[in-house]
Amino acid sequence: MPPPQKFLCVHVRLRNYWAMLETDFIPAKEKDSRRLMILLHGLGDSMEGYRWVPEALRLPWMNYLLVNAPDSYYGGFSWYDYADQPAPGIKRSRELLFEMLDDMRAK
């Protein structure tokens, strides 16, 4: 299996998901496949916890996108402020993910 491609863009634009989300895209073995599985981790984890999934599933037609949440949290990441006010962070993470998906759909 070829090493995953790592994409971390540092374009700084207000509300630009590339400035806040680190992703790894692992392409399908079958060229031109548009199928995509997005793997989102839980609180305090990272995309590293899901690196084994593509090899374990062995789906030659599946592309994989591993995504780190935008906020650091005790060595891992968090999608929102778990303890204090979760609503603003949940909304922000939702918007970042939707923007990322819209951008991918347009390509």
Side-chain angles (χ1 to χ4, degrees):
M1 179 175 204
Q5 299 174 17
K6 190 166 195 148
F7 296 95
L8 174 59
C9 227
V10 289
H11 297 147
V12 178
R13 185 181 83 192
L14 185 62
R15 314 209 35 89
N16 185 336
Y17 72 91
W18 287 118
M20 299 191 76
L21 298 178
E22 181 181 359
T23 64
D24 270 354
F25 178 76
I26 302 170
K29 291 189 187 288
E30 289 182 10
K31 301 258 189 216
D32 301 326
S33 175
R34 298 201 38 95
R35 294 178 177 161
L36 178 67
M37 180 182 293
I38 301 170
L39 299 158
L40 304 176
H41 61 78
L43 180 64
D45 203 354
S46 73
M47 69 172 96
E48 300 306 320
Y50 293 92
R51 239 177 243 295
W52 59 270
V53 172
E55 188 174 329
L57 294 180
R58 298 183 190 268
L59 302 173
W61 39 265
M62 185 65 71
N63 293 289
Y64 299 89
L65 183 67
L66 286 66
V67 184
N68 272 344
D71 301 323
S72 61
Y73 184 85
Y74 294 102
F77 296 91
S78 175
W79 294 100
Y80 56 89
D81 183 358
Y82 179 72
D84 223 10
Q85 294 184 346
I90 291 170
K91 182 178 179 194
R92 181 206 55 199
S93 290
R94 179 181 179 268
E95 289 173 0
L96 289 168
L97 290 168
F98 281 4
E99 183 180 344
M100 179 187 69
L101 292 173
D102 289 343
D103 186 51
M104 292 183 80
R105 219 174 286 133
K107 291 181 181 180

